């Protein structure tokens, strides 16, 4: 698998982006200003995984979207993408990577397995910002749970 950044025609990857964030208008709020990365099998066009990261300050990068195609899930691709992004943004000067997600048994354990720890909560984020209720594993998502990972110890961090 190889990971590369995509600068143009980012909406081409909308189907995958929607797996992680099911409302297109929310994706539109970060896709253009964010950096889009895709993971593909060598030489192939079709992405097995995508991720979007924004700079929230000069030292904080936020993972806004991460999705692995259904047929590729639970094979280590998501974790490999997160490791790549942490190294990439550490080298670019980030002190920390943050990520916000619903209080879901599908995502929190994944980010914890990637070395993130819980940080803070944005109350009622899903009910106030989405035009329809979002359900995962039979549970309605209400609050946004933020997790963070310290990047200072990553070799090559310029800070
Ligand atoms: C969440 C997601 C990105 C994880 O990517 P992945 O490639 O499937 O996960 P990995 O194989 O890299 O998992 C690494 C570890 O995370 C944990 N993990 C991953 N998915 C999990 C799940 N559904 N439940 C519990 N733990 C999980 C496990 O510890 C796993 O290691 P293991 O497979 O050896 O047990 C992927 O399932 C996905 O794209 N889901 C749909 C979109 C989405 O919800 N994105 C996140 C939005 S915030």
């Amino acid at each position: 698998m190889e990971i590369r950044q995509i600068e143009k025609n980012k909406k081409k990857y909308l189907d995958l982006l929607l797996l992680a964030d099911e409302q297109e208008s929310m994706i539109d709020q970060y896709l253009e200003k964010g950096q889009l990365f895709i993971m593909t099998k060598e030489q192939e066009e079709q992405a097995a995984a995508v991720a979007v990261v924004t700079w929230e300050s000069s030292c904080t990068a936020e993972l806004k979207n991460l999705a692995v195609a259904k047929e590729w899930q639970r094979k280590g691709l998501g974790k490999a993408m997160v490791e790549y992004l942490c190294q990439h943004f550490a080298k670019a000067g980030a002190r920390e990577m943050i990520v916000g997600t619903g209080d879901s048994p599908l995502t929190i354990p994944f980010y914890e397995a990637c070395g993130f720890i819980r940080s803070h909560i944005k109350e009622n984020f899903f009910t106030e910002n989405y035009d329809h209720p979002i359900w995962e594993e039979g549970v309605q998502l209400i609050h946004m749970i933020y997790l963070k990972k310290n990047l200072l110890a990553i070799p090559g961090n310029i800070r």
Side-chain angles (χ1 to χ4, degrees):
M1 288 285 175
E2 63 180 25
I3 297 174
R4 64 182 190 275
Q5 195 173 343
I6 300 293
E7 310 271 358
K8 291 183 188 149
N9 198 12
K10 297 179 182 177
K11 276 284 185 97
K12 184 176 158 192
Y13 300 95
L14 185 62
D15 281 356
L16 271 180
L17 295 164
L18 284 167
L19 276 183
D21 192 348
E22 63 186 57
Q23 191 169 308
E24 187 176 343
S25 62
M26 296 299 281
I27 294 172
D28 288 338
Q29 290 180 21
Y30 54 76
L31 186 57
E32 270 320 302
K33 70 170 176 166
Q35 297 184 32
L36 171 66
F37 297 84
I38 66 165
M39 185 186 277
T40 60
K41 276 175 101 174
E42 275 99 69
Q43 315 289 332
E44 279 188 17
E45 268 292 295
Q46 195 161 355
V50 296
V52 181
V53 179
T54 55
W55 283 103
E56 294 299 304
S57 74
S58 60
C59 53
T60 302
E62 179 168 348
L63 179 53
K64 291 282 194 183
N65 190 304
L66 170 67
V68 176
K70 284 212 165 70
E71 63 272 28
W72 284 103
Q73 289 179 8
R74 290 310 284 266
K75 293 178 170 36
L77 270 60
K79 196 171 180 191
M81 177 68 101
V82 168
E83 279 167 9
Y84 172 89
L85 295 171
C86 288
Q87 285 178 11
H88 179 93
F89 283 89
K91 285 181 189 154
R95 289 172 187 271
E96 63 172 4
M97 176 79 74
I98 62 171
V99 62
T101 183
D103 199 353
S104 158
L106 298 181
T107 54
I108 302 267
F110 166 73
Y111 288 115
E112 289 175 340
C114 292
F116 284 75
I117 55 169
R118 285 176 187 250
S119 163
H120 60 282
I121 291 177
K122 231 181 218 179
E123 288 199 355
N124 302 316
F125 181 85
F126 288 97
T127 44
E128 285 175 359
N129 290 283
Y130 285 76
D131 61 17
H132 63 285
I134 313 275
W135 295 83
E136 233 170 69
E137 294 286 285
V139 178
Q140 187 183 354
L141 304 187
I142 309 281
H143 309 304
M144 178 82 101
I145 315 298
Y146 274 91
L147 299 101
K148 63 180 179 183
K149 183 169 169 139
N150 186 335
L151 305 185
L152 286 174
I154 291 180
N157 191 309
I158 59 169
R159 289 196 182 260

